[in-house]
Amino acid sequence: MQLLALALYHRDGRPTPRVLRFRPGALNILTGESETGKSEILDIVDYCLGRSTPNLPDEPIDRTVGWYALLVAFRDSRMVLARPRPAGASTTHAMIRTGDETLDLPRADELTPNSNVAALRSQLSARLGIEDFRFQPPPGAARAAFDVSIGQAALLCFQNQNEIADKKALFHRQTENGIAQALKDTLPYLLGAAGPEQALRRYHLNEAQRAQRAAQRKLDDAHRHAAAVDASGLALLRLAQSEGILEEVPAAPAPEETRALLEQALTVTVSTIGPVDLRDRRQALNDERRDLREQLQQLDEALALVERWQKQGQAFTGELHLQLGRLKSLDLLGPERDHDSTVCPMCTRPLDEPDASAAEINRLTEQLSAELDQAQTIQPIRDEHRRSLQTEREAVVERLRVNGAQLRELAASDERMRNLQEQHVRIARVQGRIDQALTAGTGSSVGDIGRLRNDLVLAQENVATLQALIDEDDVTAETERRLTDIAANMTTWAKRLNLGQAASADEVAISLSQLNVVVRRPLGRLPLNRIGSAKNWIGYHLVAHLALHTYFRLHNRPVPNFLMLDQPTQAFFPAKIKDATTVQDADWATVTAYFELLRDVADLNEGALQIIVCDHANLTEQPWFQEAIVEDWRPVDGHRKALIPTDWVD
């Protein structure tokens, strides 16, 4: 994939875009004064290739541009990759158009989102030939697996003005979070040292190692569970012995013996004595006691009545004896017996009310005497009735005593029954715990542990087999071998540019672990950050990326066929410079040597590599340099030239 054109479309929809055309398979130079927008070209191309978070400047591009479009060419097709101006920090909208060699940039009125960044990257990756390669991180790594795409390949195609002079980092965006690790993970594939087969084996190895860890955990859990079951089983045996379920328990029984004894404890049956008959007996005794108390109360009331009658009879007969004794004095009367009761015997005067006659008094005396005799005959009957009531009361009292004793005995039986039932409950609880322990311990039997141990052995064998296949691949060694091939050109070109430490170097190479250039000398290995001067840092960046892309083209690797460099000659001019052509005392020989290397590498690749350089240097005396210029942004007749046209800003 190479770049054919870059277009910027005005936000107001004017029909004519700002277009930059590039020559494929050759050195392309954009030169001009500073602050004309040369450095922004790299960021715009990066954005059009699918970067979600653009690094575009605010002014004047943000104020004028509404769309960016990139026309790219593949071997037999073309694509238009257009992105709208991001409305915020990021955007995922995109426009994709594909066609043959006649496809060109779209008109302004044709720009409309028809896709997104994910689809754009997917199509670019497919056309580049990036296989369905999903990188699998090694076991225990914190990062997740990801699919290799244009997102990683494009990192090898850009060097902005800060990156190309960085002594600590070699690649585009390497210092951003996660980018360095992504480069380390994908560079072996992009170099051809690893492919989908190795990734699939790595994936299967990860799965096998995960299965092995799971099998190990299950076996360890089974052993721990078996040990816990043995300990709890012995405790249950002691408990069963204390409750009388088992008679004798060995001090240290074997696991098989423990299980047999626990199963034996479950066979012990406990008869349950129901309390229904006791409740019925207690109810009958209570009913009998209530009836006896009622009988006793009735007898007490009857005895009290008889006692009252006895006292009343004694009082009555005593009064009769007293009155009868008084009336007996009438028997002493003689002739006075016949005295007229209507006349006073003293004064012989008639009485208002006649007195009772002696005959009447005698008749009353006889009547009282008869009643007294009758009352005396009733007394023995009354005494007999009282004795009968007392005898009956004593019988009821005895029955109450017996009833109380029976109730007390029944209460004692209740206590014994409660104790027995509590023991039965404890026994049932122990048997329940034993049953639960035996059920839970089923999965930890010797046979199950043996099966889990066999599963672990099979998982270990599977891991060993896959690990052997991966060791045979030896991606790391193959990557180093390919980096060694790249180092041959790097060493030659570093000595050609006369870079620091290159003259005495055995090899100038790329370190995959450091993602930087290292110089191997007889005295030892020297990293780039220990080599001084920006001239050397830029030079080593140039030879590293030129050698990488030459290797990519030679081996037809799925990396875009272009390399964009921003300000590779910045080390030879003042920090603030408007036009490098005005600097007379610069090291123009070295600047020329840098550009000659770029030209020669482009020619070496015979049209397979496109190099785009944005710089403020202009070698006016070199015809080949002038032929490579695609844009010269220096004033002409007082008219300023830049990425953004003057009339757009005005």
Side-chain angles (χ1 to χ4, degrees):
M1 182 185 83
Q2 297 188 9
L3 311 184
L4 297 180
L6 176 65
L8 281 64
Y9 296 83
H10 202 285
R11 292 175 61 179
D12 62 9
R14 62 184 65 183
T16 304
R18 173 70 167 98
V19 179
L20 282 71
R21 298 283 178 176
F22 304 104
R23 291 191 296 268
L27 174 63
N28 294 257
I29 300 176
L30 284 84
T31 184
E33 296 180 347
S34 61
E35 300 181 356
T36 53
K38 298 186 300 298
S39 297
E40 281 69 32
I41 295 175
L42 185 148
D43 293 327
I44 294 172
V45 173
D46 194 8
Y47 176 60
C48 290
L49 292 180
R51 184 173 178 181
S52 299
T53 54
N55 190 29
L56 302 177
D58 291 337
E59 298 291 347
I61 293 179
D62 184 67
R63 191 172 71 243
T64 58
V65 178
W67 276 80
Y68 304 91
L70 185 66
L71 179 64
V72 300
F74 296 91
R75 182 171 302 175
D76 54 359
S77 62
R78 291 183 178 184
M79 286 185 69
V80 171
L81 312 172
R83 301 286 305 281
R85 163 188 169 272
S90 65
T91 181
T92 59
H93 297 304
M95 172 184 168
I96 303 174
R97 179 177 291 180
T98 59
D100 56 18
E101 294 181 356
T102 63
L103 181 67
D104 204 349
L105 293 167
R107 300 190 310 270
D109 57 357
E110 296 176 328
L111 296 171
T112 181
N114 63 1
S115 186
N116 55 41
V117 169
L120 183 149
R121 287 189 172 185
S122 178
Q123 290 197 34
L124 282 177
S125 300
R127 289 178 179 270
L128 280 171
I130 297 177
E131 301 166 285
D132 292 333
F133 177 71
R134 185 169 182 80
F135 175 78
Q136 296 292 334
R143 59 191 186 278
F146 63 89
D147 295 321
V148 179
S149 69
I150 182 67
Q152 294 82 36
L155 296 173
L156 307 176
C157 299
F158 299 103
Q159 287 282 281
N160 64 36
Q161 61 179 329
N162 294 324
E163 294 166 343
I164 200 170
D166 193 341
K167 64 180 179 179
K168 296 181 179 180
L170 179 61
F171 296 101
H172 180 52
R173 299 173 57 193
Q174 179 178 331
T175 57
E176 295 181 18
N177 186 32
I179 298 298
Q181 189 59 57
L183 286 165
K184 293 179 182 179
D185 293 338
T186 56
L187 194 55
Y189 166 72
L190 297 175
L191 289 171
E197 298 83 5
Q198 288 81 4
L200 185 60
R201 289 172 185 167
R202 174 66 66 181
Y203 172 76
H204 288 159
L205 176 62
N206 290 347
E207 292 299 315
Q209 289 173 332
R210 188 177 295 110
Q212 176 183 336
R213 291 192 295 270
Q216 185 67 59
R217 284 196 301 271
K218 289 181 180 179
L219 180 60
D220 294 341
D221 291 343
H223 280 301
R224 285 193 296 270
H225 193 66
V229 167
D230 292 342
S232 63
L234 183 58
L236 288 174
L237 288 179
R238 301 300 181 201
L239 187 59
Q241 184 180 22
S242 66
E243 294 295 342
I245 304 176
L246 297 175
E247 294 181 358
E248 294 183 2
V249 176
E256 296 79 5
E257 188 177 3
T258 298
R259 187 176 185 86
L261 288 172
L262 291 176
E263 291 175 349
Q264 178 184 345
L266 290 179
T267 62
V268 176
T269 58
V270 180
S271 60
T272 303
I273 302 176
V276 177
D277 54 346
L278 296 180
R279 288 200 299 267
D280 293 343
R281 176 63 176 161
R282 185 185 298 104
Q283 184 64 36
L285 289 174
N286 286 330
D287 293 342
E288 180 187 18
R289 190 173 186 82
R290 185 172 57 253
D291 294 340
L292 291 174
R293 286 186 178 278
E294 290 178 356
Q295 293 178 23
L296 182 61
Q297 183 179 2
Q298 293 173 359
L299 290 173
D300 287 340
E301 291 176 354
L303 284 171
L305 181 61
V306 169
E307 187 68 26
R308 286 197 301 273
W309 288 347
Q310 178 71 15
K311 291 181 178 180
Q312 290 177 357
Q314 290 176 354
F316 177 69
T317 56
E319 184 66 25
L320 286 178
H321 279 290
L322 177 63
Q323 297 299 331
L324 187 60
R326 292 175 178 174
L327 292 176
K328 286 293 185 179
S329 61
L330 294 177
D331 292 337
L332 301 177
L333 295 176
E336 294 87 359
R337 181 184 301 272
D338 296 328
H339 175 71
D340 187 4
S341 59
T342 61
V343 179
C344 176
M346 297 296 294
C347 66
T348 67
R349 292 180 62 186
L351 297 174
D352 294 335
E353 292 292 335
D355 292 330
S357 63
E360 290 175 347
I361 294 174
N362 285 331
R363 286 195 299 274
L364 178 59
T365 301
E366 292 174 357
Q367 183 180 354
L368 290 175
S369 177
E371 290 179 0
L372 181 60
D373 292 340
Q374 184 180 1
Q376 288 177 348
T377 59
I378 293 175
Q379 182 64 32
I381 298 173
R382 185 183 295 116
D383 293 340
E384 181 64 24
H385 180 59
R386 182 176 59 184
R387 285 192 298 271
S388 174
L389 289 175
Q390 288 177 344
T391 301
E392 187 176 355
R393 183 181 185 280
E394 290 174 357
V396 171
V397 171
E398 178 62 21
R399 289 175 62 188
L400 279 173
R401 186 189 64 76
V402 173
N403 179 273
Q406 290 176 338
L407 284 174
R408 288 191 296 274
E409 179 62 27
L410 191 59
S413 298
D414 281 347
E415 183 66 23
R416 290 192 298 272
M417 179 59 66
R418 280 195 298 271
N419 294 335
L420 185 60
Q421 287 178 342
E422 289 176 359
Q423 183 183 14
H424 292 172
V425 170
R426 291 195 302 271
I427 292 174
R429 185 179 294 113
V430 171
Q431 289 180 328
R433 290 177 59 185
I434 291 174
D435 182 66
Q436 182 180 9
L438 290 175
T439 303
T442 301
S444 298
S445 64
V446 175
D448 291 331
I449 291 178
R451 177 181 57 81
L452 292 174
R453 186 179 292 110
N454 185 58
D455 292 344
L456 177 60
V457 171
L458 293 176
Q460 290 171 339
E461 291 176 352
N462 190 27
V463 169
T465 301
L466 291 171
Q467 186 65 59
L469 291 175
I470 290 176
D471 292 341
E472 289 177 3
D473 294 335
D474 201 356
V475 173
T476 302
E478 184 62 23
T479 302
E480 290 297 331
R481 187 187 69 78
R482 294 172 186 257
L483 289 175
T484 300
D485 293 344
I486 295 170
N489 280 333
M490 291 179 60
T491 305
T492 300
W493 295 339
K495 292 182 178 181
R496 171 180 169 175
L497 295 180
N498 195 27
L499 299 178
Q501 305 297 328
S504 60
D506 294 333
E507 183 183 64
V508 178
I510 296 174
S511 169
L512 182 61
S513 61
Q514 297 182 14
L515 290 181
N516 208 343
V517 174
V518 293
V519 178
R520 295 185 176 93
R521 310 169 301 164
L523 297 178
R525 179 175 159 184
L526 193 66
L528 182 61
N529 60 355
R530 293 182 58 193
I531 300 175
S533 90
K535 167 194 169 183
N536 291 321
W537 303 334
I538 295 174
Y540 279 115
H541 273 251
L542 285 178
V543 299
H545 286 279
L546 290 173
L548 264 177
H549 279 271
T550 299
Y551 182 89
F552 292 150
R553 304 290 69 81
L554 180 63
H555 295 84
N556 196 28
R557 298 309 302 157
V559 177
N561 303 35
F562 70 87
L563 175 63
M564 295 191 71
L565 307 171
D566 184 27
Q567 309 295 341
T569 65
Q570 58 185 286
F572 303 98
F573 304 103
K576 294 183 179 180
I577 183 175
K578 186 172 183 63
D579 187 356
T581 58
T582 62
V583 180
Q584 301 298 325
D585 57 348
D587 188 354
W588 286 104
T590 304
V591 172
T592 302
Y594 279 22
F595 276 103
E596 286 177 343
L597 177 62
L598 295 173
R599 176 201 62 189
D600 294 344
V601 172
D603 294 341
L604 176 66
N605 283 274
E606 299 178 346
L609 177 62
Q610 179 186 42
I611 301 175
I612 301 173
V613 181
C614 299
D615 202 279
H616 43 228
N618 185 9
L619 304 180
T620 57
E621 297 180 359
Q622 302 293 335
W624 58 267
F625 188 96
Q626 297 301 311
E627 291 177 3
I629 294 176
V630 294
E631 292 279 339
D632 187 353
W633 294 341
R634 289 180 174 82
V636 177
D637 298 331
H639 297 288
R640 185 176 183 271
K641 298 177 66 176
L643 176 63
I644 302 299
T646 305
D647 60 330
W648 282 24
V649 178
D650 296 340

